[in-house]
Amino acid sequence: MTKSQRTALAVLSAAMLMTILDGSIVTVAMPAIQEDLGFSPAGLSWTVNAYLIAFGGLLLLAGRLGDLIGRKTMFVTGNIVFTAASVLAGVATTPAVLVAARFLQGVGSAIAASVVLGILVTIFTEPRQRATAIGVFSFTGAAGASIGQVLGGVLTDALNWHWIFLINVPIGVLTVLVASKALPADRGLGWSAGADVLGAALVTAGLMLGIYTVVEVERYGWVSAHTLGLGALAAALLAAFVIRQATAADPLLPLRIFRSRTVSGANVVQMLTLAAMFAFQIIVALYLQKVLGYNALQTGLAMLPAAVAIGGVSLFASARLITRFGERTVLIAGLALLLAGMSWLMRLPVDAGYLTDVLPVMVAISGGGLVLPALTALGMSGAEADDAGLASGLFNTTQQVGMAIGVAVLSTLAAARTGTELVAGASDPVALTSGYRLAFTVAAGLLAAALVISATVLRKQHTVKDVPVAQAVPAL
């Protein structure tokens, strides 16, 4: 790997670290934000929802724009928007300003994140180097999730919640400066290659409305007029978008990209896996705090072994294993580990001991270090050079949709079970634990479905068995 490639990988990983970190760092500081700015309980959730709606709704459009006007331009622009929005969030003194800033952060994250994988696969074209780069990239994402939880607790306790946003500013500025020089220039296909304004409006509106409907399920319920009505409208908009793509001369999302079983299957597997694992991250944190009595910092530290395990596997083992055995085999092995860990949580007791009941799960979650790099490689494997930004945007979109659906479904099921147990006379810890166990059971079912699809739909990949492992993965 050349020096220029290492620099490019570093700046792409730094941007993703900032995006992932920002998504998790807020959750720990939410009580302090509520107390300081006077958020209502329902309003406080919009510090997360505003970011999620903008991020998930714009990824597909931003990915295609990257193909048209240049992925480097989109990446730099996205980081500028995100950094400016972080300043606004850091100095916010009212709920409205903070929610608006969070929405703008989501816009910036979508613009930058939508093209990251597209840039990565065009820089690293040699399979073994690409596997190494994807492993490093996945490690950064895993690290960001846990660093965010720990750092959020530290900054909030030592300084104040404003610094969870202001810490993005020096990282963002440095990322923009380095990216402007380190990333290869690409002119893009030009607007004449297919702007499809109508398609862009349909898919953006459909995704934003759909994600909004999902994140509000816990408030309104699954069978309410609000959920069913807006859900039907979102489905209609997305159906109209698909029809538009089948008939448009220059579609925003050429349907040919779904002809690849590998690409289509990888996106479905990712949606199922992220639905289970993102909900796991939130529900385990709730269990540790509400049942076992951990504080915010203790919760972050308790979950740190999972990030270390995922990061270590993705950074030091995934590329070698993918080179030797192929992406599909590594993916199946990683999903099996995740399923084992989630199954262990299905019998979680009220008085769990960390070493006996929680830590083994954090170790099993190391399977994510195999799953994430393998899925990324598979999801981008069928993309032509001109569609790399689009494939990247699609892959990130299914990721965000999976996360939103997972949290909404599992949180709602857990809350419903807890309510039933409380009515029956159970104590708060017993009722909460029962609800969380149900959520973990459903998450295990999602992972089992992902495992079946991986084994039956995804095709076996070529391996490089004749190349020694030490030679197959160049040192960084």
Side-chain angles (χ1 to χ4, degrees):
M1 190 179 295
T2 65
K3 181 179 179 181
S4 61
Q5 287 178 316
R6 289 196 295 269
T7 304
L9 178 59
V11 75
L12 293 174
S13 297
M16 186 53 61
L17 172 66
M18 189 166 56
T19 297
I20 299 296
L21 186 149
D22 197 72
S24 61
I25 199 172
V26 176
T27 58
V28 176
M30 286 175 69
I33 293 173
Q34 181 177 18
E35 181 179 353
D36 188 27
L37 297 187
F39 270 101
S40 66
L44 183 64
S45 66
W46 280 96
T47 60
V48 175
N49 294 344
Y51 180 88
L52 184 62
I53 290 170
F55 190 26
L58 291 171
L59 277 166
L60 192 58
L61 172 60
R64 187 53 178 169
L65 289 176
D67 290 330
L68 298 178
I69 67 176
R71 289 183 281 273
K72 178 179 178 179
T73 298
M74 290 292 288
F75 180 80
V76 172
T77 300
N79 278 284
I80 291 173
V81 172
F82 180 86
T83 304
S86 295
V87 174
L88 181 61
V91 300
T93 56
T94 65
V97 172
L98 181 58
V99 170
R102 290 289 288 160
F103 185 88
L104 289 175
Q105 279 188 311
V107 172
S109 290
I111 295 173
S114 66
V115 296
V116 166
L117 290 176
I119 296 173
L120 189 147
V121 298
T122 55
I123 293 175
F124 299 94
T125 56
E126 199 277 321
R128 290 165 293 186
Q129 287 189 346
R130 181 178 293 181
T132 302
I134 289 175
V136 173
F137 186 77
S138 299
F139 162 77
T140 305
S146 259
I147 290 173
Q149 291 175 325
V150 177
L151 191 59
V154 171
L155 289 175
T156 302
D157 290 343
L159 299 172
N160 56 59
W161 65 265
H162 296 275
W163 285 95
I164 69 172
F165 300 114
L166 295 176
I167 195 174
N168 293 324
V169 177
I171 301 174
V173 171
L174 184 62
T175 297
V176 169
L177 293 176
V178 176
S180 299
K181 297 181 179 180
L183 297 184
D186 58 316
R187 298 179 59 185
L189 302 174
W191 290 106
S192 61
D196 189 15
V197 176
L198 177 58
L202 288 171
V203 72
T204 302
L207 286 172
M208 283 191 169
L209 184 59
I211 294 172
Y212 165 77
T213 304
V214 169
V215 299
E216 289 286 88
V217 161
E218 191 170 358
R219 178 181 177 187
Y220 290 98
W222 284 102
V223 295
S224 66
H226 179 277
T227 300
L228 295 178
L230 293 184
L233 179 56
L237 288 169
L238 293 176
F241 168 71
V242 173
I243 295 172
R244 168 68 180 176
Q245 300 315 288
T247 57
D250 297 307
L252 174 69
L253 176 61
L255 299 183
R256 65 175 182 273
I257 197 170
F258 295 108
R259 294 174 186 169
S260 168
R261 285 177 54 180
T262 299
V263 172
S264 298
N267 276 279
V268 172
V269 170
Q270 175 179 236
M271 187 178 295
L272 292 170
T273 303
L274 267 295
M277 298 314 299
F278 189 68
F280 152 81
Q281 179 178 329
I282 292 176
I283 292 174
V284 163
L286 290 173
Y287 170 79
L288 292 173
Q289 294 185 58
K290 292 188 175 184
V291 177
L292 298 187
Y294 288 24
N295 62 31
L297 182 57
Q298 289 172 328
T299 299
L301 292 174
M303 298 180 68
L304 189 59
V308 173
I310 293 174
V313 170
S314 63
L315 184 60
F316 298 111
S318 64
R320 291 173 168 82
L321 293 173
I322 288 173
T323 299
R324 180 57 59 91
F325 300 107
E327 293 95 338
R328 176 179 174 270
T329 301
V330 171
L331 173 62
I332 290 173
L335 286 171
L337 277 173
L338 292 179
L339 180 57
M342 200 65 67
S343 299
W344 185 258
L345 289 174
M346 291 165 54
R347 35 77 52 202
L348 197 65
V350 176
D351 55 348
Y354 181 76
L355 293 179
T356 56
D357 298 302
V358 179
L359 185 58
V361 177
M362 299 301 169
V363 175
I365 296 303
S366 63
L370 300 177
V371 170
L372 296 176
L375 272 178
T376 302
L378 290 166
M380 296 298 296
S381 62
E384 300 174 4
D386 291 343
D387 292 332
L390 173 62
S392 175
L394 174 64
F395 193 73
N396 282 297
T397 298
T398 58
Q399 181 182 84
Q400 295 302 312
V401 171
M403 290 163 61
I405 292 175
V407 171
V409 172
L410 271 65
S411 296
T412 302
L413 290 174
R417 170 64 66 85
T418 297
T420 300
E421 292 289 329
L422 289 172
V423 170
S427 65
D428 285 352
V430 171
L432 286 167
T433 302
S434 178
Y436 297 149
R437 279 201 297 257
L438 175 60
F440 294 136
T441 301
V442 175
L446 295 175
L447 290 172
L451 185 58
V452 170
I453 293 172
S454 300
T456 58
V457 174
L458 298 180
R459 299 182 185 277
K460 290 185 177 181
Q461 305 296 304
H462 296 294
T463 60
V464 193
K465 293 183 178 180
D466 56 330
V467 180
V469 172
Q471 297 176 17
V473 184
L476 291 177

